[in-house]
């Protein structure tokens, strides 16, 4: 039996070198040309069949085991964020206002190393591993574009895996939920139309600022009054724009924000209340509201039997890890949801914070950085899980 933790440790320097290089040269969604170039070059060198330019900068590679069997897809995301890095790390971003502040540099390095290890052990595999390196995870629709470009065909995966380095938890934590993992996200834009006029004569106009304020407050009653407190739901109004001058009541006010839920029934209830409140309050205040509501991503939901098997393998290969099976890990969202709507699978959270070393800033923070020990955990876990599901 191969000790995949030992294999990951032997390649720790390789993984770190890749990660620090990606970190120093971050690229925004659909512009990951340098990153994708390195990914394709490494995979080709290992001896995999590599397809580039899938949805602009995506890369898909196939590894055939020694015997036929199921197709397992493993996905990593490659994009960075429009943030000015403030870590001061020796490998800090060399591009101003672009930063790997979510750990996708780590995900890409982890999956490349896992591909290298699995290729070296391909005689132990019955089936095919499909490595999917995806662009533009950060709210830009990279996963959907990959699916449109055929990433789930030829061959069609039977199951799907992905992980996220997780700075909300310390090293050693392994979150492997058996059900919902990340929330589904909707984004909304509300325009409240009133009738502008002089600030000193509000009775001659219809004030959309007051109506918008009532709507913002009332939307907060959905999560607190309409949804079971044991279920997750968030309604956040994040921008409010209207007016130009202190003495002019504006024509309209615009609100934007996001809704997060795990459960389809909870989601339906939230959306129903959302519309009643927005249209009803606008009307009550004499205004009219327009609502644009779009789904950004569905919820990421693990399939129980797959997750339980991943937990078992995790306990074997990483005996020191603390496997946490709880659901509803975060109200954050992930576009892995689109792959997992098509293919059943498991999404894993790998604890990566180290408070003593000052590596515990949250995701998307300008000082975000993680403990690279977590890379080794990720490599060992993905390799062992792939080998476990495709056991020859
Ligand atoms: Zn992110
Ligand atoms: Zn992320």
């Amino acid at each position: 039996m191969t000790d995949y933790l030992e294999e990951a440790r032997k390649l720790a320097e390789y993984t770190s070198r890749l990660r620090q290089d990606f970190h120093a040269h971050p690229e925004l969604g659909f512009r990951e040309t340098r990153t994708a170039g390195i990914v394709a070059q490494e995979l080709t060198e290992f001896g995999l069949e590599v397809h580039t330019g899938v949805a602009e900068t995506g890369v898909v590679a196939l590894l055939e085991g020694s015997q036929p069997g199921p197709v397992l897809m493993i996905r990593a995301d490659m994009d960075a964020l429009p943030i000015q890095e403030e870590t001061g790390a020796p490998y800090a971003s060399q591009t101003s206002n672009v930063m790997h502040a979510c750990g996708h540099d780590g995900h890409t390095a982890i999956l490349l190393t896992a591909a290298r290890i699995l290729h070296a052990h391909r005689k132990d595999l019955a089936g095919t591993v499909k490595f999917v390196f995806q662009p533009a995870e950060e709210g830009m629709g990279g996963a959907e574009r990959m699916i449109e470009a055929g990433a789930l065909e030829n061959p069609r995966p039977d199951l799907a895996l992905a992980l996220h380095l997780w700075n909300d938890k310390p090293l050693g934590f392994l979150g492997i939920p058996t059900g919902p993992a990340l929330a589904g996200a909707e984004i909304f834009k509300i325009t409240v139309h009133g009738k502008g006029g002089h600030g000193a004569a509000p009775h001659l106009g219809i004030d959309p600022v007051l109506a918008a304020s009532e709507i913002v407050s009332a939307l907060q009653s959905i999560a607190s009054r309409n949804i079971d407190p044991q279920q997750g739901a968030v309604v956040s109004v994040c921008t409010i724009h209207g007016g130009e001058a202190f003495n002019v009541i504006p024509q309209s006010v615009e609100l934007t924000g996001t809704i997060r839920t795990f459960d389809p029934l909870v989601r339906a209830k939230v959306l129903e209340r959302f519309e009643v409140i927005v249209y009803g309050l606008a009307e009550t205040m004499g205004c009219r509201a327009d609502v644009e509501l779009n789904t950004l991503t569905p919820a990421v939901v693990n399939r129980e039997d797959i997750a339980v098997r991943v937990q078992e393998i995790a306990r074997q290969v990483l005996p020191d890890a603390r496997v946490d099976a709880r659901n509803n890990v975060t109200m954050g969202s992930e576009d892995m949801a689109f792959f997992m709507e098509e293919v059943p699978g498991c999404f894993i959270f790998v604890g990566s914070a180290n408070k003593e070393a000052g590596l515990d800033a949250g995701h998307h923070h300008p000082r975000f950085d993680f403990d690279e020990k977590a890379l080794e955990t990720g490599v060992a876990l993905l390799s062992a899980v792939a080998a476990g599901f495709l056991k020859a």
Side-chain angles (χ1 to χ4, degrees):
M1 251 279 286
T2 308
D3 180 347
Y4 285 99
L5 182 56
E6 188 53 36
E7 298 289 295
R9 284 186 174 148
K10 279 193 260 175
L11 289 173
E13 245 178 71
Y14 170 77
T15 318
S16 167
R17 198 165 65 237
L18 283 171
R19 181 263 161 161
Q20 296 190 5
D21 179 59
F22 294 141
H23 194 90
H25 303 98
E27 296 169 303
L28 295 173
F30 294 121
R31 294 187 218 163
E32 306 92 336
T33 46
R34 181 184 183 277
T35 308
I38 293 167
V39 167
Q41 185 191 327
E42 292 297 304
L43 293 168
T44 306
E45 244 165 64
F46 306 155
L48 273 67
E49 179 191 330
V50 180
H51 303 267
T52 58
V54 184
E56 316 273 344
T57 45
V59 180
V60 176
L62 293 173
L63 169 62
E64 300 292 345
S66 58
Q67 295 168 44
V71 179
L72 166 71
M73 157 189 163
I74 318 179
R75 172 277 217 165
D77 41 13
M78 303 187 289
D79 57 322
L81 287 153
I83 294 174
Q84 178 63 41
E85 179 158 353
E86 291 175 11
T87 62
Y91 46 83
S93 171
Q94 294 174 19
T95 310
S96 62
N97 281 315
V98 185
M99 176 190 177
H100 269 296
C102 201
H104 301 183
D105 49 344
H107 304 166
T108 306
I110 286 171
L111 192 54
L112 277 175
T113 309
R116 183 169 164 178
I117 291 172
L118 288 167
H119 184 265
H121 293 277
R122 64 192 178 284
K123 64 172 189 331
D124 301 332
L125 304 179
T128 304
V129 189
K130 187 170 209 172
F131 298 94
V132 175
F133 293 84
Q134 167 204 320
E137 190 284 326
E138 297 284 2
M140 295 174 71
E144 281 175 291
R145 289 279 305 279
M146 288 288 280
I147 294 168
E148 281 162 26
L152 291 180
E153 308 308 324
N154 304 319
R156 176 109 185 144
D158 298 296
L159 68 159
L161 287 178
L163 61 72
H164 209 299
L165 294 168
W166 202 238
N167 252 27
D168 291 12
K169 295 287 181 186
L171 275 181
F173 170 91
L174 277 185
I176 310 175
T178 51
L182 293 112
E186 339 284 331
I187 49 179
F188 62 79
K189 180 170 130 185
I190 302 167
T191 311
V192 183
H193 302 277
K195 187 173 159 223
H198 202 297
H203 59 293
L204 299 178
I206 302 169
D207 185 0
V209 174
L210 181 59
S213 309
E214 300 278 356
I215 289 170
V216 172
S217 300
L219 287 176
Q220 292 317 307
S221 70
I222 300 175
S224 68
R225 302 292 92 173
N226 302 132
I227 301 301
D228 178 347
Q230 311 227 26
Q231 299 267 13
V234 170
V235 180
S236 287
V237 178
C238 298
T239 72
I240 172 162
H241 291 289
E244 301 285 343
F246 77 93
N247 56 357
V248 179
I249 292 170
Q251 263 316 100
S252 64
V253 172
E254 194 180 283
L255 311 168
T256 67
T258 185
I259 294 170
R260 305 292 169 111
T261 54
F262 293 104
D263 181 86
L265 293 175
V266 171
R267 175 177 174 275
K269 180 76 184 168
V270 171
L271 297 186
E272 178 201 318
R273 289 297 302 153
F274 180 86
E275 296 207 341
V276 168
I277 287 171
V278 173
Y279 291 125
L281 265 177
E283 196 188 332
T284 302
M285 306 296 289
C287 294
R288 184 174 59 77
D290 288 329
V291 176
E292 275 175 47
L293 187 84
N294 291 299
T295 299
L296 187 65
T297 58
V300 173
V301 183
N302 288 351
R303 201 173 81 183
E304 190 173 1
D305 59 326
I306 298 173
V308 167
R309 183 82 184 99
V310 172
Q311 290 168 358
E312 285 166 8
I313 296 169
R315 288 193 184 96
Q316 283 163 15
V317 67
L318 299 160
D320 297 335
R322 294 185 310 285
V323 174
D324 188 315
R326 273 175 293 185
N327 291 336
N328 299 11
V329 178
T330 169
M331 300 310 291
S333 66
E334 241 282 354
D335 74 0
M336 182 67 191
F338 288 103
F339 291 115
M340 287 173 65
E341 272 196 329
E342 305 266 337
V343 180
C346 183
F347 194 95
I348 304 160
F349 299 84
V350 177
S352 55
N354 180 341
K355 200 168 172 14
E356 290 71 46
L359 301 169
D360 64 338
H363 293 267
H364 296 202
H365 190 281
R367 284 195 296 283
F368 173 83
D369 199 359
F370 57 83
D371 191 317
E372 286 195 349
K373 265 283 214 198
L375 297 175
E376 180 180 296
T377 306
V379 170
L381 187 60
L382 290 184
S383 309
V385 169
F389 277 97
L390 304 183
K391 211 171 172 55

